[in-house]
Amino acid sequence: MNLLLVGLNHTTAPVSVRERLAFSENGMAVALQRLLSGGRVSEAVIVSTCNRVEVVVVPCVPTAEAVEAVTAFLCDFHDLPSGQVRPHLYVHQSSAAVRHVMRVTASLDSMIVGEAQILGQVKRAYAIATAANTLGRHLRRLFERAFAVAKRVRTETGIGAHAISLGSVSVELARKVFDHLTNKALLLIGAGEMAELAAKCFFEAGVDTLFVANRTLAHAQHLADSFHGGGRALGLDELPLRLHEADIVVASTGAMTYHINTTMVRAALDRRRYRPLLLFDLSVPRTIAPDIAVIDGAFVFDLDDLQRVIAANQRERRREAERAEAIVEAEMVAFLTDADRLDIGPTVAALKECLTEICEAEFERHRKRLGALTPEQEAAIREFLLMGIVNKTLHPLILGLREAAKQDSELVDLRRAFALDAAPHTPEQVAARSEQAGARTYR
């Protein structure tokens, strides 16, 4: 399959280069149309995320010329000198390009292996290319297969099952303490970005009650109001009185003293009738006293605890990634095998050879009835009459093959109908196929 991928990612280019080559969604269609207008590629998709910019094309010209065309397009479109872009580019051709697209879509080439966001980003790039009418059957089949491979990787491996962000790891640990998080109350101490990310993770997991305690009450209220159903803002001085209402506490402040101490936790557990209290301290310095961990019913995790869980989950993901790589490799081989079978070029050549053999066989079989022929007459019969019959017969078949190529299974059926994958070589086999062709013709 003649495919080409030119691009760069977080491993080959710094963010200062990636940000200058990034395509906005609004400008993507224009960029795709400009790329095709040069006449050197017939199909194109651009995948542009914060970690990669990749252009996947079907070349109409020799590979080296197509690589130059895509590279020039990237530089010209973003008005960048070639010298700032070329050192960071990689090029994948044919099977390597297929493998790369499948690995990217399955999140095996991501900065965080197994993250789910990339699949949606590639699907969005595919949708934009479809709307811009820059897709043909080659890239359409490649990307649809890549989406199926990504789904298979998610289903058959645990590559996305192990949390590796602070928020998601906290949710994972909370589920081990409470089984489920429905109807649980979350108390945030601090109203910064880390608190907001943690709250999003817990709300997605089922938490539906929110308290936000902060030194500045207005900031606490702003964060509390940003979640569905709203929350309640608290002053830090209210913590001793309200701690028992929370099931989960997430602290992320820049304070130099403890906001939660053992006295407060013992009192809260007593009022909770010793239902568990889970506390996450994401602050440095810590704002939850570490000796709380010895109190029955209180579970405390600080940043080091969470990092150890993340490291263990990353090791699990790497093991699952090895299984995912095997799936991608098998799917890549299967895709290329199907592509070879569906390429009409070899089929047209095989059909022409088949028809030529039949005409030659029939000419030899009836040669005596034609009487004496001069060498010039015999050459004219072979060169013009027989080849004319072959070409006239082949023409509607080629048109049919082009249509059949759009319906993959029909092309396979045509090859089977004409026995093109078992071409005869002996005169007897040619004669037999000639007889079969006659039977097919007059039946």
Side-chain angles (χ1 to χ4, degrees), residues 168-336:
S168 54
V169 166
S170 300
V171 168
E172 189 176 87
L173 291 171
R175 284 197 173 112
K176 291 180 180 177
V177 173
F178 294 110
D179 290 335
H180 63 82
L181 301 183
T182 305
N183 298 324
K184 294 294 182 292
L186 172 67
L187 168 60
L188 301 176
I189 303 177
E193 183 179 359
M194 192 171 288
E196 183 178 357
L197 291 173
K200 284 181 180 176
C201 290
F202 277 105
F203 265 73
E204 288 174 0
V207 164
D208 56 7
T209 302
L210 176 65
F211 301 98
V212 183
N214 194 58
R215 187 182 306 278
T216 304
L217 199 59
H219 293 169
Q221 192 63 60
H222 177 75
L223 179 57
D225 291 343
S226 66
F227 286 88
H228 180 69
R232 183 181 301 174
L234 306 175
L236 292 176
D237 58 342
E238 295 182 78
L239 285 175
L241 299 175
R242 309 301 292 270
L243 182 60
H244 69 283
E245 297 182 44
D247 300 291
I248 302 160
V249 178
V250 177
S252 57
T253 75
M256 302 301 290
T257 58
Y258 294 141
H259 286 309
I260 305 289
N261 57 40
T262 54
T263 302
M264 294 166 62
V265 170
R266 289 186 193 281
L269 285 171
D270 185 52
R271 297 186 68 178
R272 290 172 58 79
R273 297 182 183 275
Y274 290 93
R275 286 181 288 118
L277 179 60
L278 179 59
L279 304 101
F280 296 100
D281 193 347
L282 310 184
S283 310
V284 178
R286 288 177 289 184
T287 53
I288 296 177
D291 53 354
I292 290 173
V294 301
I295 301 175
D296 288 341
F299 300 87
V300 183
F301 297 91
D302 62 22
L303 274 176
D304 285 350
D305 297 325
L306 297 178
Q307 290 295 349
R308 279 192 284 274
V309 176
I310 289 173
N313 286 350
Q314 285 176 327
R315 288 193 292 274
E316 287 297 324
R317 283 202 176 195
R318 283 194 288 271
R319 274 195 284 273
E320 294 301 312
E322 292 177 5
R323 296 177 56 207
E325 293 282 7
I327 291 174
V328 166
E329 199 65 19
E331 290 281 357
M332 184 269 293
V333 171
F335 175 80
L336 292 175

Side-chain angles (χ1 to χ4, degrees), residues 361 424 426-438:
T426 67
E428 292 75 15
Q429 289 173 319
V430 172
R433 187 157 70 177
S434 177
E435 292 293 336
Q436 292 172 1

Side-chain angles (χ1 to χ4, degrees), residues 123-170:
K123 283 185 174 180
R124 183 61 188 151
Y126 178 81
I128 291 173
T130 301
N133 199 29
T134 62
L135 283 180
R137 65 186 180 94
H138 293 96
L139 292 188
R140 189 175 293 113
R141 289 184 60 249
L142 170 61
F143 277 88
E144 288 177 357
R145 187 65 168 265
F147 299 149
V149 172
K151 183 179 180 181
R152 186 183 164 196
V153 166
R154 286 273 164 189
T155 303
E156 297 183 15
T157 75
I159 194 168
H162 305 284
I164 56 174
S165 70
L166 289 174
S168 54
V169 166
S170 300

